Amino acid sequence: MRWFPSCEIGARNASLLNNVYEDFDQQSEQLVGHDQSYLQLTPGAFQGRFLSAFLGDDVAIHMEYCNQALEQEVGGSPGHLSFGVILSDGGAFFVNGRPLTKNDVFILPPSGNLHVTSPLNGAVMAITIRRDMFLRQSGLSPMVLDWLDDLTDSVGFLRAGRLPDRLREDAVSALEGIAQTDAQVSETVLGQALAAGIASKLSLEWSSAAVRDGLCGTPAYDRFQRCKSGFQTEAASIENVSRVTTMGRASKRSVEQAFSTHVSMGPLAYLRIMRLHDVKRKLADQAFADRSIGDIAAEHGFWDWSHFSHQYRRHFGELPSFTRQSQVTDR
């Protein structure tokens, strides 16, 4: 959280949005221009913070903190490149099946898809820049320009020790600039300076980067994704691991290892969490207001009311009736 500016500065500048959230679905909607969804992996009430700073029409900074471990699916923003770095110390992040450290930068192209698992109290930052504007930067070396131009569907990945720190520091400098009530520099100029700085620093660090490639899934990650895809269509009918191993086209041990690596739990525990999220979203949706909580729970494989209510409260930190009441209150 030390990278985040104070919570009060958002009220002083319309270009900076800075809010706290108690619902992960509400927070997932804050990444402007991206298609994003969350799955809460650890039990307990959710608390998060999301900050967005818009530096003109071409550049934006987004910072996010979550107290719970999450699985996040993020689609690229049309016409933009998104440069991402970790802000927090501690637990491990995974991006498209690969571990992500504070020495790494990932680049999400407009048509790319990002799968992120973040730890407890994880914080991350993304700087989004209009792609055509960034590729025109004079500070980009021909090699970097060619590499970025080739990033279409795959997510770019750089392991360069100094580059992530420079991105974090430049972003904070830009935030401090727009937070000043008597600022003499416009948000657009700050955005242009930030983009130019990223281009030149990327070129300077290119030759010393330990890794420069596209993020491709490992066999274990691909196995996890096959099972997850099957869960999304057959969740209520899966009762044992043998059905999951069929989906993963692998042995029970390999499937369990894939889930343990990428979401730190077994496949059936993950499936239960998916079902709980499906119930929660329906309880919060006015389109299902005429359905009873018990009917919605049973539709997703929860037949024992007492057991379901206990699991729901343990995972989300509230009773299902509270979620339903909140939906009615928001009408």
Side-chain angles (χ1 to χ4, degrees), residues 40-51:
Q40 181 177 315
L41 298 175
T42 48
F46 176 84
Q47 293 181 341
R49 183 178 174 193
F50 202 100
L51 177 148

Side-chain angles (χ1 to χ4, degrees), residues 75-235:
S77 178
H80 291 75
L81 293 169
S82 299
F83 297 83
V85 293
I86 293 173
L87 297 179
S88 56
D89 298 313
F93 283 76
F94 281 81
V95 173
N96 289 14
R98 295 266 292 272
L100 188 74
T101 74
K102 292 193 76 173
N103 293 325
D104 303 329
V105 178
F106 64 83
I107 301 99
L108 177 63
S111 58
N113 290 288
L114 200 63
H115 177 271
V116 181
T117 53
S118 58
L120 290 165
N121 298 310
V124 66
M125 178 180 73
I127 301 172
T128 62
I129 305 175
R130 190 173 299 278
R131 183 178 182 274
D132 55 2
M133 177 265 211
F134 189 75
L135 296 184
R136 291 197 303 268
Q137 296 297 314
S138 60
L140 281 179
S141 69
M143 289 182 294
V144 175
L145 181 60
D146 289 344
W147 185 73
L148 291 173
D149 201 34
D150 287 339
L151 287 180
T152 54
D153 298 328
S154 63
V155 176
F157 180 83
L158 288 169
R159 178 155 290 159
R162 291 177 294 180
L163 180 61
D165 280 336
R166 292 177 175 182
L167 294 186
R168 287 185 278 262
E169 291 163 0
D170 285 359
V172 169
S173 295
L175 289 173
E176 291 172 344
I178 67 170
Q180 301 300 316
T181 55
D182 58 347
Q184 301 298 309
V185 181
S186 72
E187 289 89 349
T188 298
V189 171
L190 287 170
Q192 292 170 345
L194 182 59
I198 292 173
S200 61
K201 291 176 177 65
L202 189 55
S203 295
L204 287 170
E205 296 283 340
W206 181 256
S207 61
S208 61
V211 178
R212 303 187 296 262
D213 61 14
L215 281 175
C216 300
T218 63
Y221 175 71
D222 294 340
R223 196 173 298 129
F224 165 75
Q225 288 289 12
R226 283 197 299 271
C227 293
K228 179 179 176 180
S229 178
F231 287 175
Q232 290 169 339
T233 58
E234 302 181 35

